[in-house]
Amino acid sequence: MPVLNERDYLGRAVETVLAQDVPGPTELILALGPSTDGTNALAAELAAGDDRIVLVENPGADIPIGLNLAIRAARHPTVVRVDAHSELDPTYARRALATLDRVRAANVGGVMRADGRTPFQRAVARAYNSPIGLGGGAYHGGTQEGEAESAYLGVMRREVLGEVGLFDESIRRGEDWELNLRIRRAGYRVWFDPSLAVTYWPRESWARLVRQFSATGRWRGELVRRFGRGNSLRFFAPPALVLTILLGIIVGVLQLTGLLQGWWSVAASVVYLPVLAYAVLIAAVALGRGGGHGWRDKLWTAAVLPSMHLAWGWGFLLGVIGGAHDTVDTSRLGSRNTPLP
């Protein structure tokens, strides 16, 4: 479990991991980044109360580095990746181990079941759980068991990780997708099992959400630069939306200034149609059952969906054009009221 500024969530996450009904020895390795909200003190307190908890330092805070540090410190043949922003059902690990053996897979994952505590967080959760929000990846609500492109978190055979290499430490976002690409290219199965579900708590504020999705989109652009056709076509929808809106703005300015007139102006107006269709889709989701029950929930849903899509899409374009370089997800840095020095 990589951990950075998760004091509000860490205790419950650790509790659900330690409660796993697994027929054999287990350990929980926390890779601790330089938190500023008291998370590490809480982690030390939890470790003092249960000898199954092992602490390793991750001074750079990068997730793939923390994961590799934890895996190298692990003693058992199966690696279960978990998240400090998530909660596991008591049967999660046992079921995943059974699926791992049943289908002879190298990595098994299930559904990310997002949830929220506030109107905003609930709106983000609805977006996560909707194919409209995150593009229809299997682990965002799929129901059909089978081979998959990637796995959410993942229950992995350590021997396979040793063969293909651990997480690529040069990739700060999308590291799980890249690892699963190597696993599949090595001839092993990555498997999706919809009976496995993990409760995930998304970002709590609009600014953090935008920073998260901008960084994630930029790294996806970097992955497109590195792996090209290995990326699913669904990743290109948000940048296509951004480009269409930008084109619509340019056409609108040319029409208003009189530089685009007559038949050319009419023909160029076609660019507004996909933007209008997108706006109608967002309104339909926000006002429908998927938008929640209260008016605040519906308004946040209408704001969250385009915020996610546009931030991700803009980040993607920057990543494709210039690469991700040292881009980090700054939504994870600092507590709500305590910035990093």
Side-chain angles (χ1 to χ4, degrees):
M1 180 189 293
V3 181
L4 179 67
N5 291 313
E6 299 287 6
R7 184 174 179 86
D8 291 345
Y9 295 91
L10 181 62
R12 178 59 181 161
V14 167
E15 179 183 346
T16 66
V17 170
L18 297 180
Q20 291 300 295
D21 176 21
V22 177
T26 62
E27 60 186 348
L28 170 59
I29 304 173
L30 305 182
L32 301 177
S35 294
T36 59
D37 66 348
T39 292
N40 291 6
L42 174 59
E45 179 182 333
L46 294 170
D50 195 310
D51 58 12
R52 290 175 293 174
I53 300 176
V54 179
L55 307 181
V56 296
E57 295 296 325
N58 178 27
D62 286 344
I63 290 176
I65 295 177
L67 288 169
N68 287 347
L69 289 168
I71 292 170
R72 292 188 182 105
R75 298 173 295 164
H76 302 301
T78 307
V79 174
V80 182
R81 178 179 173 177
V82 290
D83 191 278
H85 248 248
S86 64
E87 297 178 13
L88 305 181
D89 179 272
T91 64
Y92 173 83
R94 175 167 52 81
R95 289 184 179 184
L97 289 170
T99 300
L100 201 66
D101 289 337
R102 173 171 57 85
V103 303
R104 300 182 181 278
N107 189 10
V108 170
V111 177
M112 173 197 280
R113 186 170 294 157
D115 201 352
R117 299 168 177 169
T118 65
F120 175 82
Q121 199 177 41
R122 287 195 296 271
V124 178
R126 283 190 293 275
Y128 267 80
N129 296 332
S130 166
I132 296 171
L134 291 179
Y139 54 84
H140 292 301
T143 59
Q144 186 67 42
E145 182 178 15
E147 294 194 44
E149 174 186 18
S150 187
Y152 174 55
L153 298 180
V155 178
M156 299 165 272
R157 298 186 188 275
R158 185 169 178 169
E159 62 180 359
V160 174
L161 294 179
E163 177 182 336
V164 304
L166 303 182
F167 289 92
D168 186 335
E169 296 182 1
S170 72
I171 300 175
R172 288 174 164 169
R173 301 289 294 179
E175 73 288 337
D176 49 352
W177 178 89
E178 189 276 335
L179 173 62
N180 283 295
L181 178 64
R182 277 185 280 131
I183 290 174
R184 289 187 287 111
R185 286 181 172 177
Y188 295 102
R189 279 180 164 182
V190 176
W191 195 263
F192 171 70
D193 183 349
S195 72
L196 304 173
V198 178
T199 299
Y200 172 78
W201 302 97
R203 298 298 188 268
E204 306 93 336
S205 72
W206 181 84
R208 288 192 168 201
L209 180 73
V210 169
R211 293 202 301 271
Q212 176 193 14
F213 272 77
S214 178
T216 303
R218 184 145 188 174
W219 274 105
R220 177 53 58 181
E222 173 69 28
L223 292 175
V224 166
R225 287 167 63 98
R226 296 192 191 190
F227 302 104
R229 293 183 179 179
N231 293 268
S232 172
L233 287 176
R234 65 188 175 88
F235 295 128
F236 294 84
L241 173 66
V242 171
L243 291 175
T244 302
I245 291 175
L246 289 176
L247 182 59
I249 292 173
I250 293 172
V251 169
V253 170
L254 292 177
Q255 289 174 331
L256 289 174
T257 57
L259 296 176
L260 193 62
Q261 299 180 3
W263 185 89
W264 289 106
S265 178
V266 174
S269 297
V270 173
V271 74
Y272 300 136
L273 294 179
V275 178
L276 178 61
Y278 176 76
V280 170
L281 176 64
I282 296 301
V285 173
L287 295 174
R289 292 182 59 186
H293 300 292
W295 65 268
R296 292 180 64 189
D297 286 36
K298 295 182 183 298
L299 287 177
W300 272 125
T301 300
V304 158
L305 283 167
S307 295
M308 290 166 51
H309 295 156
L310 296 177
W312 200 100
W314 181 251
F316 178 98
L317 293 173
L318 294 177
V320 167
I321 294 169
H325 300 294
D326 58 352
T327 300
V328 297
D329 177 8
T330 57
S331 70
R332 300 174 61 245
L333 301 180
S335 65
R336 281 194 285 262
N337 300 309
T338 309
L340 287 175

